[in-house]
Amino acid sequence: MSDFSRPYGPRIISVANQKGGVGKTTTTINLAAALVESGLRVLVVDLDPQGNASTGLGIEAPDRVRTTYDLLVEDAPLADVIRQTEIDDLAIIPSTIDLSSADIELFANEKRSFLLHDALRQPLMEEYEWDYILIDCPPSLNLLTVNAMVASDSVLIPLQSEFFALEGVSQLMLTIRDVRQSANPNLRIEGVVLTMYDRRNNLSLQVEQDARDNLGELVFETKIPRNVRVSEAPSFALPVLSYDTNSTGAKAYRELAGEMLTKHQNIAA
């Protein structure tokens, strides 16, 4: 175990951006693996009905008997839904396509925005001694994403290095503000991480400059490069840190984890 600790329970981070294809799931899986390499215990919550985080961590669809759907809709106990992955100290609550109907089914519940918040604070949670919980959000600003934000300490925003990238972030910022005002006043922005970055591409450089001009210190210094190993790893149901530990993608996610941990330690000091 590293010297990093949180006496009041795990730090919960939503990985969110309503735009698809920006690297949310990839970032969730590989940041989780990098935190585990740092000696921490991590739980991933797959809140995307596509279930890509579950697949990427080796939980095949037929093996997802109890899922985030059961956690939210059926009030299932944590012990029934948490699955250990092949990586020590890294577990996941998997999802299936059933979760796509949760918005409709939960709408009549007066606590609909707090269901994940309450589920992740069951008394049993203390027994697992997680240091971090990372929530892989769906590519939309729906009730599932709101549940994630209400349950979280912060929101990590992957930002793809492409045109119009910042336009989507502005809408996400408004949602974060609304959640702060209505349900979770302590929610903060963990930071923005540039993904699929190509330093040889003028567009990547321009997006980075625009992001730093507009968002300042919210933008992580670490950038996640375009890397074929990062793209290949999910098909082998592995984080890139396990698939090719010396790849540029693996090194970048280790750097991101280190930068984030340093920030958290400085805040706690």
Side-chain angles (χ1 to χ4, degrees), residues 6-266:
R6 297 185 73 231
Y8 56 91
R11 186 182 293 273
I12 304 176
I13 301 175
S14 289
V15 183
N17 188 328
Q18 75 273 23
K19 183 173 172 52
V22 300
K24 285 189 301 295
T25 299
T26 300
T27 295
T28 302
I29 290 173
N30 289 297
L31 179 58
L35 290 169
V36 168
E37 276 193 5
S38 299
L40 301 169
R41 289 177 54 78
V42 181
L43 173 67
V44 170
V45 178
D46 191 347
L47 210 61
D48 186 344
Q50 297 176 85
N52 290 333
S54 305
T55 303
L57 287 175
I59 311 298
E60 296 299 329
D63 298 326
R64 302 174 206 171
V65 179
R66 305 299 297 277
T67 66
T68 44
Y69 175 89
D70 299 286
L71 185 69
L72 295 176
V73 178
E74 304 294 341
D75 197 24
L78 284 167
D80 287 358
V81 296
I82 291 176
R83 296 288 306 276
Q84 179 60 44
T85 72
E86 294 295 318
I87 300 170
D88 290 343
D89 293 326
L90 177 55
I92 185 169
I93 302 177
S95 82
T96 64
I97 196 65
D98 291 347
L99 194 60
S100 60
S101 66
D103 262 24
I104 298 170
E105 296 185 47
L106 297 176
F107 189 77
N109 189 321
E110 61 181 18
K111 295 188 68 177
R112 57 185 174 270
S113 297
F114 288 84
L115 295 172
L116 185 60
H117 171 280
D118 294 348
L120 294 180
R121 287 160 178 82
Q122 295 179 25
L124 181 65
M125 180 60 76
E126 295 180 10
E127 298 180 16
Y128 289 103
E129 298 183 328
W130 306 115
D131 296 294
Y132 279 86
I133 298 175
L134 303 184
I135 305 172
D136 186 31
C137 295
S140 59
L141 297 178
N142 60 10
L143 184 55
L144 291 174
T145 301
V146 170
N147 258 270
M149 291 184 183
V150 172
S152 294
D153 298 301
S154 60
V155 181
L156 175 64
I157 305 170
L159 182 69
Q160 186 178 359
S161 302
E162 64 172 19
F163 277 123
F164 306 124
L166 286 175
E167 289 187 6
V169 171
S170 62
Q171 182 59 49
L172 181 59
M173 297 286 195
L174 291 175
T175 302
I176 293 170
R177 186 191 66 183
D178 290 344
V179 170
R180 274 198 197 117
Q181 293 175 345
S182 63
N184 184 1
N186 296 318
L187 181 67
R188 65 181 187 83
I189 298 170
E190 183 66 42
V192 174
V193 57
L194 293 163
T195 60
M196 306 177 198
Y197 187 88
D198 185 348
R199 66 179 65 253
R200 300 165 300 179
N201 187 322
N202 286 334
L203 177 57
S204 286
L205 299 173
Q206 185 61 53
V207 170
E208 179 183 9
Q209 188 61 54
D210 289 348
R212 296 196 188 280
D213 288 346
N214 285 279
L215 302 171
E217 293 183 357
L218 285 177
V219 183
F220 281 95
E221 289 299 322
T222 303
K223 300 178 283 287
I224 308 302
R226 285 194 178 276
N227 177 241
V228 66
R229 295 306 197 190
V230 172
S231 302
E232 290 173 350
S235 64
F236 292 88
L238 291 169
V240 71
L241 285 83
S242 300
Y243 175 65
D244 187 346
T245 190
N246 294 316
S247 64
T248 58
K251 292 175 181 176
Y253 277 110
R254 288 190 186 98
E255 290 175 9
L256 177 63
E259 187 177 349
M260 191 175 77
L261 287 173
T262 297
K263 181 191 297 186
H264 292 167
Q265 288 167 337
N266 291 338

